[in-house]
Coordinates of all heavy atoms in Angstrom, one line a residue:
S999 N 13.4 -3.3 -7.6 CA 13.5 -3.2 -6.1 C 12.1 -2.9 -5.5 O 11.2 -2.4 -6.2 CB 14.5 -2.1 -5.8 OG 13.9 -0.8 -6.2
L1000 N 12.0 -3.2 -4.2 CA 10.7 -2.9 -3.6 C 10.4 -1.5 -3.6 O 9.2 -1.1 -3.9 CB 10.8 -3.4 -2.1 CG 9.6 -3.0 -1.2 CD1 8.3 -3.7 -1.8 CD2 9.8 -3.4 0.2
N1001 N 11.3 -0.6 -3.5 CA 11.0 0.9 -3.5 C 10.5 1.3 -4.9 O 9.6 2.1 -5.0 CB 12.3 1.7 -3.1 CG 12.5 1.6 -1.6 OD1 11.6 1.4 -0.8 ND2 13.8 1.9 -1.2
K1002 N 11.1 0.7 -5.9 CA 10.7 1.1 -7.3 C 9.3 0.6 -7.5 O 8.5 1.3 -8.2 CB 11.7 0.5 -8.3 CG 11.3 1.0 -9.7 CD 12.4 0.6 -10.7 CE 12.1 1.1 -12.1 NZ 13.1 0.7 -13.1
K1003 N 9.0 -0.6 -7.1 CA 7.6 -1.2 -7.3 C 6.6 -0.3 -6.5 O 5.6 0.0 -7.1 CB 7.5 -2.6 -6.7 CG 8.3 -3.7 -7.5 CD 8.1 -5.0 -6.8 CE 8.9 -6.1 -7.6 NZ 8.8 -7.4 -6.9
I1004 N 7.0 0.1 -5.3 CA 6.0 1.0 -4.6 C 5.8 2.3 -5.3 O 4.7 2.8 -5.4 CB 6.6 1.2 -3.1 CG1 6.5 -0.1 -2.3 CG2 5.8 2.3 -2.4 CD1 7.1 0.0 -1.0
R1005 N 6.9 2.9 -5.8 CA 6.8 4.2 -6.5 C 5.9 4.1 -7.8 O 5.1 4.9 -8.1 CB 8.2 4.7 -6.9 CG 9.0 5.3 -5.8 CD 10.2 6.1 -6.3 NE 11.1 5.4 -7.2 CZ 12.1 4.7 -6.8 NH1 12.4 4.6 -5.5 NH2 12.9 4.0 -7.6
N1006 N 6.1 2.9 -8.5 CA 5.3 2.7 -9.7 C 3.8 2.6 -9.4 O 3.0 3.1 -10.1 CB 5.8 1.5 -10.4 CG 7.2 1.7 -11.1 OD1 7.6 2.8 -11.4 ND2 7.8 0.6 -11.4
V1007 N 3.5 1.9 -8.3 CA 2.1 1.7 -7.9 C 1.6 3.1 -7.4 O 0.5 3.5 -7.7 CB 1.9 0.7 -6.8 CG1 0.5 0.5 -6.5 CG2 2.5 -0.7 -7.4
E1008 N 2.4 3.8 -6.6 CA 1.9 5.1 -6.1 C 1.7 6.1 -7.2 O 0.8 7.0 -7.1 CB 2.9 5.7 -5.1 CG 2.9 4.9 -3.7 CD 3.9 5.5 -2.8 OE1 4.9 6.2 -3.2 OE2 3.7 5.4 -1.6
K1009 N 2.5 6.0 -8.3 CA 2.3 6.9 -9.4 C 0.9 6.7 -10.1 O 0.3 7.7 -10.6 CB 3.4 6.7 -10.5 CG 3.5 7.7 -11.5 CD 4.7 7.5 -12.4 CE 4.8 8.6 -13.5 NZ 6.0 8.4 -14.4
Q1010 N 0.4 5.5 -9.9 CA -1.0 5.2 -10.4 C -2.0 5.6 -9.4 O -3.2 5.4 -9.7 CB -1.1 3.8 -10.8 CG -0.2 3.3 -11.9 CD -0.1 1.8 -12.1 OE1 -1.1 1.1 -11.7 NE2 0.9 1.3 -12.7
K1011 N -1.6 6.1 -8.3 CA -2.5 6.6 -7.2 C -3.5 5.5 -6.8 O -4.7 5.7 -6.6 CB -3.2 7.8 -7.7 CG -2.3 8.9 -8.1 CD -3.0 10.2 -8.5 CE -2.0 11.3 -9.0 NZ -0.9 11.7 -8.1
V1012 N -3.0 4.3 -6.6 CA -3.8 3.1 -6.1 C -4.1 3.3 -4.6 O -3.1 3.6 -3.9 CB -3.0 1.8 -6.4 CG1 -3.9 0.7 -5.9 CG2 -2.8 1.7 -7.9
P1013 N -5.3 3.2 -4.2 CA -5.7 3.5 -2.8 C -4.9 2.6 -1.8 O -4.5 3.1 -0.8 CB -7.2 3.2 -2.8 CG -7.6 3.5 -4.2 CD -6.5 3.0 -5.0
F1014 N -4.8 1.3 -2.1 CA -4.2 0.3 -1.1 C -3.0 -0.4 -1.9 O -3.2 -1.0 -2.9 CB -5.2 -0.7 -0.6 CG -6.2 -0.1 0.3 CD1 -7.5 0.3 -0.2 CD2 -6.0 0.1 1.6 CE1 -8.4 0.8 0.6 CE2 -6.9 0.6 2.5 CZ -8.2 1.0 2.0
I1015 N -1.9 -0.4 -1.2 CA -0.8 -1.2 -1.7 C -0.5 -2.3 -0.6 O -0.4 -2.0 0.6 CB 0.5 -0.3 -1.8 CG1 0.3 0.8 -2.9 CG2 1.7 -1.2 -2.3 CD1 1.4 1.7 -3.0
V1016 N -0.5 -3.5 -1.1 CA -0.4 -4.7 -0.2 C 1.0 -5.3 -0.5 O 1.3 -5.7 -1.6 CB -1.5 -5.7 -0.4 CG1 -1.2 -7.0 0.4 CG2 -2.8 -5.1 0.0
I1017 N 1.8 -5.4 0.5 CA 3.2 -6.0 0.4 C 3.1 -7.4 1.1 O 2.7 -7.6 2.2 CB 4.2 -5.1 1.0 CG1 4.2 -3.8 0.3 CG2 5.6 -5.8 0.9 CD1 5.1 -2.7 0.9
I1018 N 3.6 -8.4 0.3 CA 3.6 -9.8 0.8 C 5.0 -10.4 0.8 O 5.7 -10.4 -0.2 CB 2.7 -10.7 -0.1 CG1 1.2 -10.1 -0.1 CG2 2.7 -12.1 0.3 CD1 0.3 -10.8 -1.1
G1019 N 5.4 -10.8 2.0 CA 6.7 -11.5 2.2 C 6.5 -12.7 3.0 O 5.4 -13.2 3.2
D1020 N 7.6 -13.2 3.5 CA 7.6 -14.5 4.3 C 6.7 -14.3 5.5 O 5.8 -15.2 5.8 CB 9.0 -14.9 4.8 CG 9.9 -15.3 3.7 OD1 9.4 -15.7 2.6 OD2 11.1 -15.3 3.9
K1021 N 6.8 -13.2 6.2 CA 6.0 -13.0 7.5 C 4.5 -13.0 7.2 O 3.7 -13.6 7.9 CB 6.4 -11.7 8.1 CG 5.7 -11.4 9.4 CD 6.3 -10.1 10.0 CE 5.5 -9.7 11.3 NZ 6.0 -8.4 11.8
E1022 N 4.1 -12.4 6.1 CA 2.7 -12.3 5.7 C 2.2 -13.6 5.3 O 1.0 -14.0 5.7 CB 2.5 -11.3 4.6 CG 2.7 -9.8 5.0 CD 4.2 -9.4 5.2 OE1 5.0 -10.1 4.7 OE2 4.4 -8.4 6.0
V1023 N 3.0 -14.4 4.6 CA 2.5 -15.8 4.2 C 2.3 -16.7 5.4 O 1.3 -17.4 5.5 CB 3.5 -16.4 3.1 CG1 3.1 -17.8 2.9 CG2 3.5 -15.6 1.9
Q1024 N 3.3 -16.6 6.3 CA 3.3 -17.5 7.5 C 2.1 -17.1 8.4 O 1.4 -18.0 9.0 CB 4.6 -17.4 8.2 CG 5.8 -17.9 7.5 CD 7.1 -17.6 8.2 OE1 7.1 -17.0 9.2 NE2 8.2 -17.9 7.5
N1025 N 1.8 -15.8 8.6 CA 0.8 -15.4 9.5 C -0.6 -15.1 8.9 O -1.5 -14.7 9.5 CB 1.2 -14.2 10.3 CG 2.5 -14.4 11.1 OD1 2.7 -15.5 11.6 ND2 3.3 -13.4 11.2
N1026 N -0.7 -15.3 7.5 CA -1.9 -15.0 6.8 C -2.3 -13.5 7.0 O -3.5 -13.2 7.3 CB -3.0 -15.9 7.2 CG -4.1 -16.0 6.1 OD1 -3.9 -15.9 4.9 ND2 -5.4 -16.1 6.6
T1027 N -1.3 -12.6 7.0 CA -1.6 -11.2 7.2 C -1.1 -10.4 5.9 O -0.5 -11.0 5.0 CB -0.9 -10.7 8.4 OG1 0.5 -10.9 8.2 CG2 -1.4 -11.3 9.6
L1028 N -1.4 -9.2 5.9 CA -0.9 -8.3 4.8 C -0.3 -7.0 5.4 O -0.8 -6.5 6.4 CB -2.2 -7.9 4.0 CG -3.0 -9.0 3.4 CD1 -4.2 -8.5 2.7 CD2 -2.2 -9.8 2.3
S1029 N 0.8 -6.6 4.8 CA 1.4 -5.3 5.2 C 0.8 -4.3 4.2 O 1.0 -4.4 3.0 CB 2.9 -5.4 5.0 OG 3.5 -4.2 5.3
I1030 N 0.2 -3.3 4.7 CA -0.6 -2.4 3.9 C -0.1 -1.0 4.0 O 0.2 -0.5 5.1 CB -2.1 -2.5 4.4 CG1 -2.7 -3.9 4.2 CG2 -3.0 -1.4 3.6 CD1 -4.0 -4.1 4.9
R1031 N 0.0 -0.4 2.8 CA 0.2 1.1 2.7 C -1.1 1.7 2.2 O -1.6 1.4 1.1 CB 1.3 1.4 1.7 CG 2.7 0.8 2.2 CD 3.7 1.0 1.1 NE 4.1 2.4 1.0 CZ 5.2 3.0 1.6 NH1 5.9 2.2 2.4 NH2 5.4 4.2 1.4
D1032 N -1.8 2.4 3.1 CA -3.2 2.9 2.8 C -3.1 4.4 2.5 O -2.9 5.2 3.3 CB -3.9 2.7 4.1 CG -5.4 3.1 4.0 OD1 -5.7 3.8 3.1 OD2 -6.2 2.8 5.0
R1033 N -3.4 4.6 1.2 CA -3.4 6.0 0.7 C -4.9 6.6 0.8 O -5.1 7.7 0.5 CB -3.0 6.1 -0.8 CG -1.6 5.8 -1.0 CD -1.3 5.6 -2.5 NE -1.6 6.8 -3.3 CZ -0.8 7.8 -3.5 NH1 0.4 7.7 -3.0 NH2 -1.1 8.8 -4.3
Y1034 N -5.7 5.8 1.3 CA -7.2 6.1 1.3 C -7.6 6.7 2.6 O -8.2 7.8 2.7 CB -8.0 4.9 1.0 CG -9.4 5.2 0.7 CD1 -9.8 5.9 -0.5 CD2 -10.5 5.0 1.6 CE1 -11.1 6.2 -0.8 CE2 -11.8 5.3 1.3 CZ -12.1 5.9 0.1 OH -13.4 6.2 -0.2
T1035 N -7.4 6.0 3.7 CA -7.9 6.3 5.1 C -9.4 6.2 5.2 O -10.1 6.2 4.1 CB -7.5 7.7 5.6 OG1 -8.2 8.7 5.0 CG2 -6.0 7.9 5.4
N1036 N -9.9 6.1 6.3 CA -11.4 5.9 6.5 C -12.2 7.1 6.0 O -13.3 6.9 5.5 CB -11.7 5.6 7.9 CG -11.2 4.3 8.4 OD1 -11.1 3.3 7.6 ND2 -10.8 4.1 9.7
D1037 N -11.6 8.3 6.1 CA -12.4 9.5 5.7 C -11.6 10.1 4.6 O -10.6 10.8 4.8 CB -12.5 10.4 6.9 CG -13.4 11.7 6.4 OD1 -13.7 11.7 5.3 OD2 -13.6 12.5 7.3
Q1038 N -12.0 9.9 3.3 CA -11.2 10.3 2.2 C -11.1 11.9 2.1 O -10.2 12.4 1.5 CB -11.8 9.8 0.9 CG -13.2 10.4 0.5 CD -13.5 10.1 -0.9 OE1 -12.9 9.4 -1.6 NE2 -14.6 10.8 -1.4
T1039 N -12.1 12.6 2.8 CA -12.0 14.0 2.7 C -10.9 14.6 3.5 O -10.4 15.7 3.4 CB -13.3 14.7 3.3 OG1 -13.5 14.2 4.6 CG2 -14.5 14.2 2.4
D1040 N -10.3 13.8 4.5 CA -9.2 14.2 5.3 C -7.8 13.8 4.6 O -6.8 14.1 5.1 CB -9.2 13.6 6.7 CG -10.3 14.2 7.5 OD1 -10.8 15.3 7.1 OD2 -10.8 13.6 8.4
R1041 N -7.9 13.0 3.5 CA -6.7 12.4 3.0 C -6.0 13.5 2.1 O -6.6 14.1 1.3 CB -7.1 11.2 2.1 CG -5.9 10.6 1.4 CD -6.4 9.2 0.8 NE -7.7 9.4 0.1 CZ -7.7 9.6 -1.2 NH1 -6.7 9.8 -2.0 NH2 -8.9 9.7 -1.8
K1042 N -4.7 13.6 2.3 CA -3.9 14.5 1.5 C -3.2 13.7 0.4 O -2.9 12.6 0.6 CB -2.8 15.2 2.4 CG -3.4 16.1 3.5 CD -2.3 16.8 4.3 CE -2.9 17.7 5.4 NZ -1.8 18.3 6.2

């Protein structure tokens, strides 16, 4: 499932998770979950 995939990637503490579906392919965009932020010192 999508939630399980996200949990597995988050467990590895990957800075960016990119999710790709129909909308992203059609629009050449990416749905991003950003664990990093621009200022890593502010990131919890």
Side-chain angles (χ1 to χ4, degrees):
S999 68
L1000 176 60
N1001 286 338
K1002 186 173 182 180
K1003 288 179 182 178
I1004 292 173
R1005 284 197 303 271
N1006 287 339
V1007 181
E1008 286 182 337
K1009 192 174 183 179
Q1010 296 170 23
K1011 304 184 186 299
V1012 178
F1014 292 96
I1015 301 174
V1016 173
I1017 299 171
I1018 299 171
D1020 290 340
K1021 182 179 178 181
E1022 286 74 25
V1023 173
Q1024 292 169 6
N1025 299 327
N1026 200 35
T1027 59
L1028 303 171
S1029 179
I1030 298 166
R1031 296 173 71 94
D1032 180 349
R1033 293 168 61 86
Y1034 191 74
T1035 75
N1036 289 329
D1037 184 356
Q1038 68 165 10
T1039 58
D1040 290 339
R1041 177 168 49 93
K1042 296 179 181 179

